[in-house]
Amino acid sequence: MGQGLNVAIVGSGPAGMYSAGALLAKCPDCQIDILDKLATPYGLVRAGVAPDHQTTKNVSRAYDKIMENESVRFVGNLSFGSDISLETLKSLYDVVIIAIGTPRDKTLGIPGEDKQGVYGAQTFVYWYNGHPEYRDAVPHLDIRDAIVIGNGNVALDVARILLRTEDEMAGTDLADHAGERIFTSPLKTVHVVGRRGAEHAQFSSKELSELGEMQNAVPYTDPAEIPDSFLIDDAKRQKVVNTNLDLLRQYAENSPNGADRSLYLDFHLSPTEILGDQSVEAVRFTRNRIENGKAVSTGETLDIPCNLLVTCIGYDLTGLEGLPVEKGIVRNMDGKVEDGVYVVGWAKRGPTGTIGTNRLDSQNVVEKILSDFECEKFSEKDGPVGLDRYCAEKGIETVSFEDWKTIDRAETERADHDAPRRKFVRKRDMLSLIKESRTE
């Protein structure tokens, strides 16, 4: 007690880190604890960004500087809800910021979705990125045909990672267990399927162009699916779409015949049923036409064979103890949930935008916080001291930022020559490493 505001941020992903950065800039006397259930910080930067997009991961260097501030602590291996409640956090801190994202895949809501070989995007992406809770989520990839449903960048990530060669992935941090499955898979075809037209797809031009650079896989799309032109009042969006359409025209000139592997970009198809006995064997689609901007079934159906189905249709937030969740987000007013409790990022606005989108969003919520609290006022809450006492009483072994740097160094040292790191994918291995380092 006696210092400035005591703040707890639940979640160390981009939204949480930008919130911490904004607080330090506006309220330098505050004390900030950043809590995470994992032993590793930075959320989707580690577990969500595709392993062959290492440049995007460089944003973690800016987060390191925030974590190294003497007013900030990383408190890993502490799970919100199961290890510590919202009520306890409110008793210890003046401000609690919820930055947990939207940790659940949306479902298709069609028959057969419970069959083996059907995965949500988060499950599949966390699996190949080495998230400890998803290490064993995909037992095998003994498959010939895969379908990825969705027309956003995550769908392209999944398709591209499935089709990349071992040489192409040598300079990445793809998890070892995933590489063992992917590089030995007999996979031949991947279909990326969207319910609307090519002009409605949400691919970035950079991601779409990467498909043409794969060593042993050829992208292909039906030229009849590509409109001659696209006009809209939004000039920025119009430019992106027309660049994408030009790329698709190039892919339409490819021949899928004779390639080692083929990637089909399909449009105007909606899944209606997942076929097979215990495991997925095909997906039944209905063909669509667009009426008033909406996809409407023509009544024509099409079955596409597959042994793996990954749905990339968005994320959702389920109920959290002590938090009002409605329509997949925490109910809030400009980021405020209740007195002393705020929400940022996807949990506030839904799963939209890029990593950078969270910066302005978090800054706006911090402005709201500082309009509710006097930054210079001495805190009457126990803050970090109280949290340490609570964890000691509960027997919870937390992970500090110094502990994380121990993991980080070990992962870097374990890596092959070209790879940036070789990840630990079991929490117990990380905690054992930390314990050993503390006794040296």
Side-chain angles (χ1 to χ4, degrees):
M1 293 189 286
Q3 74 285 335
L5 286 177
N6 279 312
V7 181
I9 299 176
V10 182
S12 66
M17 295 309 302
Y18 287 128
S19 297
L23 279 166
L24 290 173
K26 298 280 187 176
C27 187
D29 291 332
C30 68
Q31 298 292 313
I32 304 171
D33 280 349
I34 303 176
L35 284 54
D36 202 294
K37 67 177 179 178
L38 298 181
T40 56
Y42 307 152
L44 290 180
V45 174
R46 179 178 172 96
V49 174
D52 59 344
H53 284 175
Q54 288 298 307
T55 301
T56 304
K57 293 174 183 277
N58 288 340
V59 70
S60 63
R61 296 172 185 170
Y63 301 160
D64 285 345
K65 292 180 180 179
I66 296 171
M67 285 288 196
E68 289 164 356
N69 189 291
E70 63 182 9
S71 297
V72 176
R73 296 196 311 170
F74 174 63
V75 187
N77 196 38
L78 182 63
S79 182
F80 175 66
S82 57
D83 288 334
I84 192 165
S85 69
L86 179 61
E87 288 302 314
T88 300
L89 289 175
K90 287 162 62 177
S91 73
L92 296 174
Y93 296 88
D94 302 292
V95 174
V96 179
I97 301 175
I98 305 299
I100 56 175
T102 49
R104 181 182 130 174
D105 289 296
K106 286 185 176 179
T107 59
L108 294 169
I110 62 175
E113 203 164 1
D114 59 344
K115 295 186 187 303
Q116 296 174 15
V118 179
Y119 302 95
Q122 179 176 265
T123 299
F124 203 78
V125 170
Y126 279 4
W127 169 74
Y128 66 58
N129 270 327
H131 190 297
E133 296 175 357
Y134 294 82
R135 163 62 178 83
D136 302 312
V138 182
H140 71 85
L141 284 177
D142 298 327
I143 59 171
R144 180 181 174 86
D145 303 297
I147 294 175
V148 182
I149 295 179
N151 262 185
N153 286 338
V154 175
L156 295 190
D157 285 344
V158 170
R160 193 181 64 253
I161 298 304
L162 279 170
L163 293 167
R164 289 278 201 200
T165 65
E166 186 170 2
D167 284 346
E168 288 176 287
M169 297 299 289
T172 77
D173 60 351
L174 178 72
D176 286 351
H177 62 265
E180 291 168 2
R181 300 280 191 272
I182 291 169
F183 302 140
T184 59
S185 172
L187 178 69
K188 287 295 184 182
T189 65
V190 176
H191 287 261
V192 175
V193 185
R195 61 188 175 87
R196 297 203 291 169
E199 68 275 24
H200 303 115
Q202 297 298 307
F203 311 136
S204 71
S205 299
K206 179 180 180 298
E207 292 248 1
L208 190 60
S209 67
E210 288 179 307
L211 303 182
E213 301 167 1
M214 295 185 293
Q215 288 182 359
N216 290 343
V218 174
Y220 175 78
T221 193
D222 184 347
E225 294 284 356
I226 308 172
D228 294 333
S229 62
F230 178 77
L231 299 174
I232 193 174
D233 291 337
D234 185 338
K236 184 178 179 181
R237 177 63 185 160
Q238 178 176 299
K239 181 178 179 181
V240 171
V241 171
N242 280 302
T243 300
N244 287 352
L245 295 179
D246 286 342
L247 287 166
L248 290 172
R249 289 186 189 98
Q250 295 176 31
Y251 299 159
E253 295 176 358
N254 292 334
S255 171
N257 298 321
D260 287 346
R261 290 174 164 181
S262 299
L263 171 60
Y264 295 86
L265 298 163
D266 300 325
F267 303 98
H268 293 116
L269 295 173
S270 289
T272 59
E273 185 178 0
I274 299 169
L275 308 176
D277 293 327
Q278 299 298 316
S279 302
V280 55
E281 297 176 10
V283 178
R284 179 161 295 160
F285 293 90
T286 182
R287 198 171 295 281
N288 298 324
R289 63 177 181 274
I290 304 301
E291 292 183 3
N292 300 319
K294 295 183 178 180
V296 178
S297 174
T298 64
E300 180 185 352
T301 61
L302 171 69
D303 292 351
I304 300 179
C306 76
N307 319 108
L308 169 71
L309 173 64
V310 183
T311 60
C312 304
I313 57 174
Y315 309 96
D316 211 345
L317 182 65
T318 54
L320 291 171
E321 181 186 359
L323 288 170
V325 176
E326 288 183 359
K327 298 180 180 179
I329 62 172
V330 176
R331 189 174 68 237
N332 70 92
M333 182 64 69
D334 297 326
K336 184 173 182 178
V337 180
E338 60 178 80
D339 290 345
V341 180
Y342 301 82
V343 63
V344 294
W346 283 7
K348 168 183 174 279
R349 68 180 190 273
T352 60
T354 63
I355 289 175
T357 307
N358 292 292
R359 181 186 288 109
L360 181 58
D361 183 70
S362 296
Q363 289 172 348
N364 289 339
V365 175
V366 167
E367 290 289 345
K368 176 70 173 173
I369 292 170
L370 297 182
S371 71
D372 292 342
F373 288 85
E374 296 180 28
C375 189
E376 297 81 9
K377 184 179 179 180
F378 284 157
S379 174
E380 297 180 357
K381 300 292 184 74
D382 287 345
V385 173
L387 182 65
D388 288 348
R389 183 170 57 244
Y390 173 88
C391 291
E393 292 172 353
K394 298 292 184 180
I396 301 170
E397 291 286 338
T398 59
V399 173
S400 69
F401 189 64
E402 285 299 318
D403 293 332
W404 152 242
K405 289 198 287 188
T406 297
I407 298 170
D408 185 33
R409 284 192 297 270
E411 289 186 339
T412 302
E413 292 168 359
R414 280 161 34 109
D416 294 332
H417 178 68
D418 294 328
R421 68 177 63 245
R422 184 181 173 205
K423 290 179 178 178
F424 291 100
V425 296
R426 302 281 193 195
K427 185 186 284 189
R428 63 173 180 264
D429 294 336
M430 299 183 206
L431 298 181
S432 294
L433 175 68
I434 291 168
K435 188 174 181 180
E436 290 172 7
S437 71
R438 289 174 178 173
T439 58
E440 290 178 356

